[in-house]
Amino acid sequence: MSIEDQSVIDVIGVTSDGTVVLTISNHLEWCESSLFLLQEKINRYLAFIESGEIYSAYPNAKGKNVEITVVCKHKPSSEALQFLEQCTRIINAAGFGFRHEVHI
C-alpha cells in the first residue's frame, strides 16, 4: 500500500504508550503532484478518524490518542516541509498527532 492507493489506510499500529498510529507510506519524489496525493491521503485519514470509522475497523482505538505519521522515502523539499509543518499545526489543533519520518 502507498500514497497512491487513496482508498485504504496503509498501516495501523499502537506505540508502547498506547497511541494509535495511522501510517502513510510515501515512496514518491517530492513534487506538486505528490504533495496533492499526500494532501488527499491525509484528508482520507482525517475522515477515517473523525467519522468514527476508525473504531469500527480498529475497536481498540477507543479512548486512545491518535497520530498520523507520514513515512517518506525521500527527504522533503522546502515546499514539502512547509506543507508538513502546516499539517502539523492544523492536525494538532484538531486534537490528533502528526509527524513525518524519512527512511532512505
Side-chain angles (χ1 to χ4, degrees):
M1 288 172 241
S2 77
I3 190 172
E4 294 172 307
D5 192 349
Q6 296 283 313
S7 65
V8 300
I9 303 300
D10 296 343
V11 178
I12 299 177
V14 180
T15 64
S16 60
D17 72 357
T19 301
V20 176
V21 180
L22 307 177
T23 302
I24 297 172
S25 177
N26 181 10
H27 65 286
L28 301 175
E29 293 277 350
W30 292 101
C31 65
E32 188 174 326
S33 62
S34 65
L35 280 172
F36 177 76
L37 284 173
L38 180 57
Q39 179 179 350
E40 291 298 306
K41 187 85 169 193
I42 290 169
N43 287 338
R44 170 67 182 111
Y45 275 45
L46 288 170
F48 180 76
I49 297 165
E50 292 175 338
S51 70
E53 187 179 351
I54 187 173
Y55 306 121
S56 298
Y58 194 75
N60 292 338
K62 288 184 181 174
K64 297 200 166 60
N65 292 327
V66 177
E67 176 182 282
I68 297 172
T69 299
V70 179
V71 176
C72 313
K73 180 177 179 181
H74 303 282
K75 183 178 175 185
S77 64
S78 59
E79 182 181 11
L81 280 174
Q82 289 176 347
F83 173 76
L84 292 166
E85 289 169 5
Q86 184 178 16
C87 288
T88 301
R89 286 190 302 276
I90 292 168
I91 294 170
N92 287 345
F96 311 113
F98 181 84
R99 65 188 180 93
H100 76 280
E101 303 173 1
V102 179
H103 293 272
I104 299 173

